[in-house]
Amino acid sequence: MLPLLRTLGILTLGSVLPQAALGQLSATPRTFTSSTVVLTNGDTLRGSLILHSELDVLLITMADNTVRTVPAMMVRTFAVRGEIMSFDRLPAQYRNSSAFVPARVRRRGQDVQRSRPFLVYPWNRDRDQAPASAPAFFERLNGGPVILLRRQQLVQRAVPWSDAYFNTGYAARPAGGPYYYTDVRENLYLGTPQGSIVALRKPRRDLLAYFPAEAAQIERYAEEYGLNFTDSAHLARLVDYANSLRAVAMQ
């Protein structure tokens, strides 16, 4: 089989990707039960979807069970729903028990049923000295015109059975470990009205630097409503508030 990057280079929209190639694309894909994908040529595709974030490639299973391979350069926008959450080798009796699943994994369930929109921006993959950018997928978290964006990466972590959330007295440590679960690592960005990306490496500092005239009001708003600059839902509210301040100032 051709090397992975060469294989991706010759795939075209509508090609059927063999199962063997699917296994090579990524050890940690994001899988969704339904999607609507709008292409740059105006076509719309629907079906279950696998998102390979590190390669910015979509695999869409069509009604005839073929898999359409769609790179970011061919996508205008897409929305997904119903993420299939993986617990890897976590024992079956613990997969749906809040007592035995880390809180950060439980929080992923909040996003499972809602529709989640994604946009495409040129991105240098956080390499500031990179000579060029390539189209990449970003999840949209607020309204705009300045948009809070995020990219999530799935990482596999070992279950620390000695931690407090496993020592509840309801069950003994299962045999057969070690066990693993899939955790989420996320990076946040601003999408500007000009179509560029601003990385929020330190969200508080970088957000206030982007909105210098509104910075003091943003900080007061965050304090009044108990919002922090690291939670993506809180940060989305702060960006929306900053947008409203800037809109008023421009009137």
Side-chain angles (χ1 to χ4, degrees), residues 207-222:
L207 177 65
L208 297 178
Y210 185 83
F211 289 100
E214 299 83 9
Q217 290 171 278
I218 293 171
E219 289 196 289
R220 286 196 297 270
Y221 183 83

Side-chain angles (χ1 to χ4, degrees), residues 59-211:
L59 303 178
I60 307 166
T61 301
M62 309 300 293
D64 61 0
N65 290 323
T66 59
V67 178
R68 308 286 288 268
T69 306
V70 188
M73 65 181 296
M74 301 180 69
V75 177
R76 180 178 301 163
T77 183
F78 70 96
V80 294
R81 185 189 298 271
E83 183 172 7
I84 299 174
M85 297 167 62
S86 171
F87 291 92
D88 302 306
R89 295 193 61 223
L90 191 65
Q93 64 266 39
Y94 301 124
R95 291 176 189 171
N96 298 316
S97 171
S98 62
F100 297 102
V101 178
R104 57 183 172 272
V105 177
R106 295 199 301 272
R107 285 196 295 269
R108 289 182 60 200
Q110 299 172 2
D111 289 334
V112 169
Q113 294 305 319
R114 71 179 181 87
S115 180
R116 300 167 62 181
F118 286 74
L119 301 172
V120 178
Y121 284 82
W123 184 43
N124 63 3
R125 310 200 78 82
D126 290 336
R127 295 189 292 267
D128 292 337
Q129 304 305 317
S133 299
F137 298 129
F138 294 84
E139 184 177 359
R140 179 175 190 155
L141 299 181
N142 74 315
V146 178
I147 303 171
L148 181 65
L149 304 167
R150 73 177 173 189
R151 283 180 62 93
Q152 294 181 319
Q153 178 185 11
L154 300 188
V155 292
Q156 192 180 71
R157 301 191 188 280
V159 173
W161 291 105
S162 60
D163 280 8
Y165 47 72
F166 291 114
N167 295 330
T168 63
Y170 292 107
R173 171 177 173 158
Y179 298 101
Y180 303 91
Y181 65 93
T182 301
D183 199 1
V184 180
R185 178 184 302 155
E186 68 178 24
N187 295 311
L188 298 170
Y189 304 84
L190 295 178
T192 72
Q194 295 74 34
S196 61
I197 290 291
V198 176
L200 299 180
R201 294 184 174 93
K202 294 185 178 181
R204 185 188 194 100
R205 179 200 68 186
D206 295 337
L207 177 65
L208 297 178
Y210 185 83
F211 289 100

Side-chain angles (χ1 to χ4, degrees), residues 38-54:
V38 180
L39 306 180
T40 54
N41 67 4
D43 290 347
T44 298
L45 306 177
R46 292 182 174 86
S48 61
L49 179 146
I50 298 176
L51 165 62
H52 291 275
S53 297
E54 74 285 5

